[in-house]
């Protein structure tokens, strides 16, 4: 049944999950259980297993064996592609179930969850093509007696640590590319949002992925995530999360020099020039700060606006914010839902208090919603924000916008780049020259012109500076999970070295 226009009810009791290794579910048994409550309703919705490091070690043995015997890496790109296409169909068949679980665990609007699940299926289809397109290089210019080849091989066993803000979508931005490359995987989703990753394991298995190629071990970041990054038999870790934990994973990976892909925090500027279509820009800025309740690594929460239009623009934003539909994420009309956890809610409120204390002008919002069950924060705007203020420098990860003004183009670029991060940026102007000059000079892995937070799997994602290393999606996203090998092939008789 299509559930897109119908308000789903909360589950009568939480759904229980084991974990998934070697093509099968493993019961939680006597292991501890993590009970997740919906952040919007404060009702228990899922129970997942707190795996032990023994469970992780057993899963690594399985993934290593599956890699070494070439049951997946030895298949043609065409065969791998067929599995990924079937998986895309499997995702679509379970759209209602996946979207509901995603909303129950994250608090995000159900319409958004549905979009992310469908978007996930689309990424599998793109990556299916990439599995067939992946190739190396040849050097036919080394003379008649030498031929050179550059081959790409799967890097091996990949550990995948994912966060809670887009559990299914971020997983989909990585898994099909890692599989397209021919690797095997141990996934460790965030402990608060593990359900859709576990269901994906079942979907992949039913799509014909050989046993042991995709395994999910659930549990805490400090125990399982840390052990996974330290593990000597894992060849690469892809980590998406906070910059602080990213630094920890960098240190933990040193033992066996494993390759690391890191997608970390951001403090992304929205640069609005006076010649922009201000109504469009204000809509984009409001979307950029409220999308996923501001818990989005590429969310544009740092408005850098030309002084001559700053006051008018501020008024436009406040007007539009008042019309954002905030509330029950199960209601298909809701645009902004709950904040993920009480801890994250407290962090956002702490930053709001710091903003007030540092002397920024509170334009609207600034508190939780009184009388609402669950964790909801009012969209909050601070103006007169000096770029040295904490709220302008640190990632808040909530619906909090700071407004800083500029007079000249150079000043705009200087403010936009005045951050340790470099994940994303948006530029709003009707001048092509200005837009081009700006996107060339802004230090960020993703830049949007006259739009924000959009895209598809064709283009790569990743960060400059302390926002991370490596790239996901696009053909770059497959190559990331390969090793490059040079092969020199001598032709004809050898000129002997020994006289
Ligand atoms: O993230 P963590 P948290 C930022 C955002 C947020 C802050 C804290 O600013 O306020 O991080 O969120 C796993 N070794 N982002 O504390 O801890 C953990 O289990 C290995 C931005 O929830 O970084 C989860 O699977 N792994 C970000 C994942 O890391 C460890 C999205 C992310 O959790 C680990 C999320 C360890 N020692 C938060 N400790 C983005 N870039 O989108 C934890 N983990």
């Amino acid at each position: 049944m299509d559930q897109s226009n119908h308000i789903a009810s909360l589950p009568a009791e939480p759904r229980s999950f084991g974990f998934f290794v070697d093509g099968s579910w493993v019961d939680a048994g006597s292991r501890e259980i993590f009970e997740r409550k919906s952040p919007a309703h404060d009702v228990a919705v899922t129970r997942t297993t707190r795996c032990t490091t023994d469970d992780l070690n057993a899963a690594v043995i399985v993934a290593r064996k599956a890699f070494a015997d070439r049951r997946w890496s030895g298949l043609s790109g065409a065969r791998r592609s067929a599995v990924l296409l079937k998986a895309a169909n499997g995702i679509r068949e379970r759209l209602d179930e996946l979207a509901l679980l995603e909303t129950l665990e994250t608090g995000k609007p159900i319409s958004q969850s549905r979009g992310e699940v469908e978007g996930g299926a689309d990424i599998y289809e793109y990556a299916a093509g990439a599995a067939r397109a992946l190739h190396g290089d040849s050097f036919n210019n080394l003379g008649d007696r030498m031929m050179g080849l550059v081959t790409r091989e799967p890097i091996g066993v990949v550990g995948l640590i994912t966060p809670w803000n887009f559990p299914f979508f971020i997983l989909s931005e990585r898994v099909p590319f890692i599989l397209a490359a021919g690797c095997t995987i141990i996934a460790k989703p965030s402990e608060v949002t593990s359900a859709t990753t576990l269901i994906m394991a079942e979907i992949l298995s039913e799509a014909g992925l050989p046993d042991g190629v995709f395994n999910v071990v659930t549990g805490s970041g400090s125990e399982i995530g840390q052990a996974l990054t330290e593990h000597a038999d894992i060849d690469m870790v892809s980590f998406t999360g906070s910059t602080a934990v990213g630094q920890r994973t960098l240190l933990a990976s040193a033992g066996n020099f494993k390759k690391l892909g890191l997608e970390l925090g951001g403090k992304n500027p929205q640069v609005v020039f006076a010649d922009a279509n201000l109504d469009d820009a204000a809509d984009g800025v409001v979307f950029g700060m409220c999308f996923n309740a501001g818990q989005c690594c590429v969310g544009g929460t740092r408005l850098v606006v030309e002084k001559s239009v700053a006051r008018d623009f501020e008024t436009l934003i406040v007007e539009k914010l008042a019309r954002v539909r905030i509330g029950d994420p199960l209601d298909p009309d809701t645009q902004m839902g709950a904040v993920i956890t009480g801890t994250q809610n407290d962090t956002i409120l702490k930053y709001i208090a710091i903003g007030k204390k540092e002397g920024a002008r509170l334009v609207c919002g600034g508190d939780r919603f009184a009388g609402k069950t669950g964790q909801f924060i009012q969209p909050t705007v601070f103006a007169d924000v000096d770029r040295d203020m904490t709220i302008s420098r640190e990632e808040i990860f909530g619906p909090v916008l700071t407004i800083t003004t500029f007079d000249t183009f150079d000043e705009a670029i200087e403010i936009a780049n005045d951050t340790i991060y470099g994940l994303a940026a948006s530029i709003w102007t009707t001048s092509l020259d200005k837009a081009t000059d700006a996107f060339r000079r802004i230090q960020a892995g993703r830049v949007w012109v006259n739009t924000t937070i959009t895209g598809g799997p064709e283009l790569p994602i990743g960060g400059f500076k302390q926002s991370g290393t490596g790239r996901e999606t696009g053909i770059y996203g497959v190559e990331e999970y390969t090793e490059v090998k040079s092969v020199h092939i001598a032709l004809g008789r050898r000129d002997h070295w020994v006289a």
Side-chain angles (χ1 to χ4, degrees):
M1 183 179 71
D2 176 12
Q3 295 183 348
S4 52
N5 289 314
H6 145 271
I7 301 190
S9 40
L10 289 163
E13 56 181 79
R15 181 164 165 183
S16 293
F17 291 90
F19 57 110
F20 200 93
V21 177
D22 210 5
S24 303
W25 288 103
V26 183
D27 280 342
S30 58
R31 295 170 188 84
E32 279 181 46
I33 297 298
F34 176 82
E35 187 170 82
R36 174 64 175 157
K37 287 186 172 168
S38 160
H41 311 93
D42 206 26
V43 165
V45 287
T46 52
R47 288 199 183 116
T48 50
T49 314
R50 282 191 194 278
C51 292
T52 62
T53 45
D54 285 347
D55 295 327
L56 173 69
N57 293 337
V60 175
I61 291 171
V62 164
R64 172 60 57 194
K65 184 164 181 290
F67 183 69
D69 67 17
R70 303 182 68 79
R71 69 184 79 165
W72 180 242
S73 65
L75 300 184
S76 65
R79 298 264 307 270
R80 289 209 282 270
S81 173
V83 171
L84 295 174
L85 288 172
K86 269 196 181 162
N89 287 339
I91 292 170
R92 291 207 175 90
E93 278 163 18
R94 294 177 76 167
L95 167 65
D96 291 339
E97 179 192 9
L98 285 164
L100 180 61
L101 276 167
E102 196 78 332
T103 283
L104 292 176
E105 286 196 333
T106 61
K108 70 174 68 194
I110 189 75
S111 58
Q112 189 188 319
S113 291
R114 295 180 70 85
E116 286 168 17
V117 172
E118 285 176 320
D122 179 59
I123 304 177
Y124 276 77
E125 282 165 354
Y126 172 85
R132 304 188 72 161
L134 183 65
H135 64 275
D137 208 349
S138 67
F139 287 79
N140 201 27
N141 60 347
L142 306 179
D144 281 346
R145 298 188 58 198
M146 185 68 77
M147 173 80 191
L149 295 177
V150 179
T151 62
R152 286 195 175 269
E153 299 178 3
I155 196 163
V157 179
V158 176
L160 181 57
I161 301 174
T162 52
W164 41 257
N165 52 348
F166 298 93
F168 190 76
F169 196 73
I170 288 181
L171 186 81
S172 306
E173 286 177 330
R174 285 138 182 82
V175 168
F177 296 90
I178 305 173
L179 293 179
C183 300
T184 61
I185 302 175
I186 316 268
K188 205 299 286 173
S190 164
E191 49 274 49
V192 294
T193 55
S194 298
T196 53
T197 303
L198 288 160
I199 290 178
M200 196 61 224
E202 198 172 75
I203 292 174
L204 282 164
S205 192
E206 286 167 3
L209 189 73
D211 294 350
V213 175
F214 182 72
N215 310 280
V216 184
V217 177
T218 49
S220 91
S222 54
E223 193 183 349
I224 304 301
Q226 183 75 23
L228 193 133
T229 5
E230 284 172 5
H231 206 292
D233 208 23
I234 289 183
D235 304 294
M236 175 166 176
V237 163
S238 164
F239 171 85
T240 308
S242 61
T243 297
V245 178
Q247 255 161 3
R248 218 169 297 151
T249 56
L250 194 67
L251 295 173
S253 67
N256 67 336
F257 293 96
K258 60 174 66 65
K259 185 174 174 183
L260 263 193
L262 299 172
E263 196 188 328
L264 309 173
K267 191 74 187 174
N268 313 294
Q270 293 261 14
V271 184
V272 178
F273 291 98
D275 66 3
N277 178 326
L278 294 185
D279 197 42
D280 281 2
D283 185 72
V285 169
V286 166
F287 170 66
M289 70 175 278
C290 292
F291 181 58
N292 216 43
Q295 305 161 112
C296 176
C297 53
V298 293
T301 52
R302 199 159 54 95
L303 173 62
V304 184
V305 56
E306 196 156 345
K307 201 174 276 166
S308 58
V309 295
R311 273 292 175 162
D312 290 348
F313 197 68
E314 186 184 305
T315 308
L316 268 178
I317 288 174
V318 174
E319 275 171 10
K320 287 183 192 291
L321 277 176
R323 283 185 275 140
V324 176
R325 297 184 299 272
I326 303 166
D328 183 356
L330 290 174
D331 182 338
D333 287 332
T334 294
Q335 292 177 296
M336 186 178 122
V339 168
I340 191 85
T341 55
T343 315
Q344 186 63 22
N345 220 46
D346 292 345
T347 303
I348 300 168
L349 290 169
K350 181 196 82 182
Y351 277 113
I352 291 173
I354 291 174
K356 290 179 188 164
K357 201 165 155 224
E358 286 184 332
R361 174 167 56 88
L362 182 66
V363 176
C364 64
D367 210 344
R368 61 179 86 230
F369 278 96
K372 247 192 185 15
T373 310
Q375 292 129 208
F376 291 87
I377 296 256
Q378 299 169 354
T380 299
V381 178
F382 280 108
D384 304 336
V385 176
D386 188 280
R387 56 177 146 146
D388 294 326
M389 288 180 185
T390 310
I391 53 167
S392 173
R393 306 205 72 79
E394 296 185 11
E395 183 180 53
I396 299 174
F397 233 52
V400 181
L401 182 77
T402 62
I403 307 183
T404 307
T405 58
F406 67 87
D407 283 309
T408 64
F409 180 88
D410 285 346
E411 200 189 349
I413 301 298
E414 200 190 307
I415 297 172
N417 285 335
D418 187 11
T419 167
I420 57 166
Y421 296 111
L423 202 55
S426 303
I427 300 159
W428 300 85
T429 174
T430 47
S431 156
L432 180 61
D433 285 359
K434 212 179 267 185
T436 306
D437 203 6
F439 79 64
R440 283 185 170 148
R441 288 167 62 183
I442 284 179
Q443 298 157 338
R446 299 172 85 180
V447 182
W448 289 288
V449 178
N450 292 327
T451 187
T452 196
I453 319 184
T454 186
E458 291 83 0
L459 274 66
I461 57 179
F464 281 29
K465 301 196 273 185
Q466 293 187 33
S467 288
T469 57
R471 292 294 179 270
E472 309 283 354
T473 71
I475 198 67
Y476 310 83
V478 191
E479 290 178 356
E480 192 76 14
Y481 295 97
T482 60
E483 283 279 21
V484 168
K485 181 180 278 175
S486 294
V487 184
H488 284 91
I489 305 168
L491 302 164
R493 288 215 54 195
R494 178 177 173 81
D495 293 334
H496 283 214
W497 184 64
V498 180

